[in-house]
């Protein structure tokens, strides 16, 4: 019972006592009855006060946890964009939250402190213990984990404040997020390429080491592929033999050579090896190698002699030597004396007169 209700109870008891006294005087009751009449309101007042006290103390022990708790004074501070480490080097989380704290009851002999700083330090330390073990690519998942871990009031290391965090946000910088997205895309493309490469290697090994290792294996493979169409497989025997031989860098076996649809080319001749040098083969066939050694690159004289034969200048024809000497003069006049000397040695007959020099026995 409150003090106001106690005052009202006493006041009513006094009024009742006065009313009883007036009634006693009015009816002429004996004087010894006055104390009795005055005690009755006092006893009633005492009984009411005792009953109120028992009611106040009569709360069952089982209901005490459900009684309203006195409000605790809480203070808050906003922290923004605090860098917290992750498992990936140089990729830090950006932590933003509202830190709430309250002082610990019963702390005595405490020096002057900054409770807000202690609370923020405690929250960041708890958050760092989680983020430094988490992948930076899972920022949204780690944020939900921090919501639960930091949502409980816990004392700091000094035991002076209780701290928690609300409205937690955990992100990466825009550039870091773009880099991680690009790395993830490249890594996925690399995995796809690696699988495709292994698949291609497997197919090559299957075709080279099993299917096309010899014509017989190629025929069996082709027969299975064509649903046991024997006639079609027989018609493709030559093609399969040529294909398996090419796959193994070998010639087509003689027993399949007559079935090959595309015959092997004839060996290249000397003329094909040296295109445009047909006159060289003619010179070699007519005169052979001057030293008796294998074929060598023809000289200018060799080529000119082949030209004379192609121009139908017969051996022993005086016009042949005369024409050759005239060409040698022209070549010498243009500064190529080595070729000119070779032509003169080849086509000048001993004792023959230079066609451009006058005959010494001729006189005007």
């Amino acid at each position: 019972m409150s003090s106001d209700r106690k005052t009202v109870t006493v006041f009513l008891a006094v009024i009742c006592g006065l009313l009883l006294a007036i009634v006693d005087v009015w009816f002429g009751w004996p004087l010894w009855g006055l104390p009795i009449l005055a005690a009755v309101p006092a006893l009633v007042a005492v009984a009411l006060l005792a009953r109120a006290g028992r009611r106040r103390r009569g709360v069952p022990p089982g209901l005490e946890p459900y009684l309203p708790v006195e409000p605790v004074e809480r203070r808050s501070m906003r922290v923004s964009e605090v860098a917290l480490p992750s498992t990936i080097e140089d990729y830090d989380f950006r932590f933003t939250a509202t830190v709430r704290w309250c002082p610990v009851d019963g702390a005595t002999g405490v020096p002057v402190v900054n409770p807000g700083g202690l609370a923020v330090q405690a929250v960041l330390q708890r958050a760092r213990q989680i983020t430094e073990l988490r992948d930076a690519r899972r920022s949204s998942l780690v944020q939900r984990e921090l919501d639960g871990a930091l949502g409980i009031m816990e004392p700091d290391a000094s035991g002076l404040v209780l701290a928690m965090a609300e409205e937690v946000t955990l992100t990466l910088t825009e550039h870091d997020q773009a880099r991680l997205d690009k790395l993830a895309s490249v890594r996925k493309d690399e995995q796809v390429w690696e699988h495709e490469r292994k698949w291609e290697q497997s197919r090559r090994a299957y075709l080279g080491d099993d299917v096309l290792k010899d014509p017989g294996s190629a025929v069996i493979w082709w027969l299975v592929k064509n649903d046991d169409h024997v006639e079609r497989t027989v018609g493709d025997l030559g093609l399969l033999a040529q294909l398996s031989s090419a796959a193994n860098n070998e010639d087509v076996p003689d027993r399949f050579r007559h079935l090959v649809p595309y015959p092997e080319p004839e060996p290249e001749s000397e003329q094909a090896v040296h295109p445009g040098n047909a006159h060289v083969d003619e010179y070699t066939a007519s005169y052979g190698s001057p030293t008796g050694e294998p074929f060598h690159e023809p000289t200018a004289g060799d080529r000119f002699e082949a030209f004379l034969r192609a121009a139908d200048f017969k051996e022993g024809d005086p016009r042949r030597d005369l024409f050759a000497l005239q060409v040698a003069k022209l070549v010498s006049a243009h500064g190529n004396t080595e070729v000119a000397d070779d032509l003169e040695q080849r086509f000048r007959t001993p004792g023959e007169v230079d066609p451009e020099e006058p005959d010494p026995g001729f006189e005007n």
Side-chain angles (χ1 to χ4, degrees), residues 304 307-328 343 347-349 352 355:
F304 184 73
F307 165 74
L308 292 177
R309 286 196 303 274
D312 200 20
F313 283 97
K314 305 295 184 180
E315 290 284 346
D317 188 345
R319 296 178 305 164
R320 182 174 182 269
D321 296 339
L322 179 61
F323 178 71
L325 293 175
Q326 290 176 346
V327 171
L343 293 178
F347 299 101
R348 180 184 293 276
T349 304
E352 184 178 2

Side-chain angles (χ1 to χ4, degrees), residues 89-277:
E89 186 178 0
D90 297 330
Y91 287 89
D92 293 337
F93 293 108
R94 291 298 184 268
F95 176 81
T96 301
T98 299
V99 178
R100 299 188 181 277
W101 76 90
C102 63
V104 176
D105 295 335
T108 60
V110 178
V112 178
V113 296
N114 177 11
L118 295 177
V120 171
Q121 180 185 9
V123 168
L124 292 180
Q125 185 175 2
R126 290 162 58 186
R128 176 170 182 165
Q129 292 175 353
I130 296 176
T131 61
E132 64 185 2
L133 302 177
R134 302 296 183 267
D135 195 322
R137 293 167 293 189
R138 302 289 184 267
S139 59
S140 59
L141 179 61
V142 181
Q143 174 181 330
R144 302 308 175 195
E145 185 177 0
L146 291 178
D147 280 335
L150 302 180
I152 303 174
M153 275 284 189
E154 293 185 2
D156 70 325
S158 64
L160 298 178
V161 295
L162 297 174
M164 62 176 291
E166 297 177 349
E167 302 176 2
V168 176
T169 302
L170 197 69
T171 60
L172 295 173
T173 62
E174 183 178 353
H175 295 297
D176 285 349
Q177 187 64 54
R179 293 188 189 97
L180 289 177
D181 292 342
K182 187 174 181 180
L183 287 174
S185 178
V186 172
R187 185 167 51 254
K188 292 177 183 178
D189 293 340
E190 183 181 4
Q191 291 176 351
V192 172
W193 180 86
E194 183 67 22
H195 283 291
E196 290 179 348
R197 185 179 66 85
K198 290 181 178 179
W199 177 75
E200 181 182 352
Q201 288 179 339
S202 177
R203 283 178 56 87
R204 289 169 58 186
Y206 167 67
L207 292 174
D209 300 338
D210 188 6
V211 174
L212 300 176
K213 67 178 181 179
D214 53 49
S217 299
V219 169
I220 295 174
W221 170 75
W222 192 243
L223 186 63
V224 174
K225 282 288 186 180
N226 288 277
D227 297 328
D228 299 331
H229 291 174
V230 179
E231 296 81 1
R232 180 176 179 180
T233 305
V234 171
D236 295 335
L237 284 177
L239 184 62
L240 294 173
Q242 192 174 22
L243 182 62
S244 63
S245 299
N248 293 279
N249 295 322
E250 298 175 352
D251 296 333
V252 178
D254 294 338
R255 63 180 180 277
F256 295 107
R257 195 178 298 275
H258 65 286
L259 300 174
V260 174
Y262 305 103
E264 297 180 359
E266 295 297 330
E268 295 182 349
S269 62
E270 190 81 16
Q271 180 175 349
V273 176
H274 300 278
N277 291 344

